[in-house]
Amino acid sequence: MWNDIDKGFQIAFEMAWESFKIGTIPIGACIMNESNELVATGQNQIHAKGDGLISFHQLAHAEANAIMKVSEETVPNMHPNIRKYTLYTSMEPCPFCFGAIVMGSIKNVKFAARDRWAGATALNDSIGYIKKKNISVEGPFERIEIVQIAIQTYFEMQERSAVVLLDAWTEDCPVGVDIGKRMFESRALDKQIKENTAASVVYDYIFNYKLYE
């Protein structure tokens, strides 16, 4: 349930829900400092304008939008302790975003859901240059993964019906895909948008969706 997940994941899901509400891919991210205080947020903005620096572009990904707000060198966004920060993201970073993590001096990454189709955290152990960066990667987190895959599935069925994506996600999180499909059939999240439901309530609603059948 919502109160059981880390603050970083709560913020990441809030950003994912904001992205979903404005009609773009529901992926969110945030960066927390060594004291677990919020430093930056990012959301997917490929199809809409949100709070990030990149929008309406194929590179307008959540992790990249968060990382671009944090720098160890550029005033006024100086963060000398950036290597102690943690990036939380609702979905496993893609090759572009994992590259941004590497080049942006982020040393700790936590992702909620696996992405067998585009996830690129395997790069952490397969390229010498990246291995030397000693990046800590944690994920997936099973319960959060179910919710993220469900909302991702709903979006893909609503926008593009991307069968190849759903097939890939089903291999790792069949429960999430199933919930997403059933929610889409009843347009359950459309109602949540109309009612401007808070992300915390949506999270618990999705996780317990089987109870609402």
Side-chain angles (χ1 to χ4, degrees):
M1 301 295 285
W2 181 257
N3 292 329
D4 297 326
I5 65 177
D6 289 354
K7 178 181 178 181
F9 278 130
Q10 289 179 341
I11 297 171
F13 185 76
E14 287 173 348
M15 300 307 298
W17 177 235
E18 288 301 312
S19 291
F20 186 87
K21 289 197 297 183
I22 61 176
T24 190
I25 301 170
I27 298 177
C30 73
I31 297 174
M32 311 294 286
N33 68 15
E34 66 271 33
S35 299
N36 201 36
E37 299 168 332
L38 179 64
V39 174
T41 59
Q43 63 183 123
N44 183 285
Q45 297 177 189
I46 289 178
H47 305 298
K49 174 63 178 174
D51 79 333
L53 300 177
I54 315 173
S55 60
F56 296 108
H57 194 287
Q58 288 300 313
L59 298 183
H61 293 195
E63 299 92 333
N65 268 320
I67 293 168
M68 289 180 68
K69 296 177 182 177
V70 182
S71 172
E72 62 181 331
E73 299 176 351
T74 306
V75 177
N77 296 318
M78 187 174 289
H79 295 275
N81 294 329
I82 193 170
R83 288 170 175 79
K84 297 180 181 179
Y85 293 2
T86 300
L87 182 142
Y88 288 81
T89 177
S90 62
M91 199 75 172
E92 181 180 0
C94 70
F96 168 65
C97 288
F98 198 76
I101 289 166
V102 173
M103 304 310 294
S105 299
I106 302 296
K107 297 296 186 181
N108 303 288
V109 178
K110 293 186 178 183
F111 68 90
R114 288 163 287 186
D115 186 356
R116 184 175 288 268
W117 180 250
T121 56
L123 293 173
N124 199 38
D125 298 316
S126 61
I127 297 176
Y129 173 77
I130 297 177
K131 289 178 71 174
K132 290 182 179 180
K133 296 288 185 177
N134 294 317
I135 300 171
S136 171
V137 178
E138 296 182 57
F141 291 78
E142 183 179 2
R143 293 190 174 188
I144 316 173
E145 180 176 59
I146 289 172
V147 175
Q148 176 62 30
I149 293 299
I151 195 172
Q152 282 272 114
T153 296
Y154 191 108
F155 177 83
E156 293 300 334
M157 293 187 70
Q158 177 176 253
E159 297 294 323
R160 291 173 287 179
S161 300
V163 175
V164 65
L165 293 177
L166 303 190
D167 287 347
W169 297 337
T170 297
E171 291 191 51
D172 294 320
C173 190
V175 174
V177 173
D178 178 65
I179 290 174
K181 288 180 176 179
R182 288 189 287 110
M183 285 196 304
F184 180 73
E185 290 174 358
S186 62
R187 300 301 191 272
L189 294 184
D190 291 20
K191 179 180 179 181
Q192 305 300 325
I193 292 175
K194 290 179 181 179
E195 296 178 353
N196 197 29
T197 305
S200 57
V201 177
V202 173
Y203 179 94
D204 287 347
Y205 175 74
I206 294 174
F207 187 76
N208 293 308
Y209 188 72
K210 58 183 179 294
L211 302 177
Y212 295 88
E213 294 179 321

